[in-house]
Amino acid sequence: MKTLSKPFIVILFTIFFIGCNLFGPDVTGIWVISGAGNAQMRLQQSNNQVVGLAYYEGQFQGQVYGQLSGTNIVLQVRGAYTGIVSYTGIVSSDSSSMQLKRNDGQIITMFRAG
């Protein structure tokens, strides 16, 4: 019985991790809020921490802070005029959309734009 070479095993292991997305979704990018005019969040993820900026009609609305645990996400938008708006929800396994509930109970959907 032949054994696999170590470099071959490392390559297979790497492909497996990339293909299976075992580290969870990656939310880095531009997210468009569905049905909210020109509203978007520009997010950057580092491990399970998320930071970014929120915009509406091209105008800065606040800073975004959050955490990701598996596909569960919690975001807060901290604006100068709006205070803190919190969102909790899930990210799709392919990182293409989010379904979130705002602290006032409104359900929103965000789609990755870039």
Side-chain angles (χ1 to χ4, degrees), residues 15 17 39 63-64 75 77 79 81 84 110:
I15 291 170
F17 271 114
Q63 295 179 318
V64 180
L75 297 173
V77 178
Y81 302 107
I84 297 174
M110 295 198 325

Side-chain angles (χ1 to χ4, degrees), residues 27-49:
V27 298
T28 297
I30 299 170
W31 292 82
V32 176
I33 301 172
S34 180
N38 184 13
Q40 63 178 234
M41 290 186 193
R42 297 178 184 191
L43 303 178
Q44 180 68 42
Q45 179 181 338
S46 177
N47 296 317
N48 68 335
Q49 300 296 309

Side-chain angles (χ1 to χ4, degrees), residues 34-112:
S34 180
N38 184 13
Q40 63 178 234
M41 290 186 193
R42 297 178 184 191
L43 303 178
Q44 180 68 42
Q45 179 181 338
S46 177
N47 296 317
N48 68 335
Q49 300 296 309
V50 179
V51 295
L53 303 172
Y55 295 89
Y56 181 72
E57 299 297 335
Q59 300 295 313
F60 175 72
Q61 296 299 306
Q63 295 179 318
V64 180
Y65 300 93
Q67 286 192 312
L68 190 63
S69 177
T71 59
N72 297 312
I73 191 164
V74 176
L75 297 173
Q76 287 187 336
V77 178
R78 298 177 187 173
Y81 302 107
T82 58
I84 297 174
V85 180
S86 298
Y87 300 88
T88 58
I90 57 171
V91 180
S92 65
S93 60
D94 65 356
S95 303
S96 65
S97 65
M98 294 187 212
Q99 187 80 26
L100 304 170
K101 184 175 184 179
R102 202 165 59 190
N103 57 336
D104 65 1
Q106 182 176 356
I107 303 294
I108 67 164
T109 303
M110 295 198 325
F111 295 98
R112 182 185 296 275

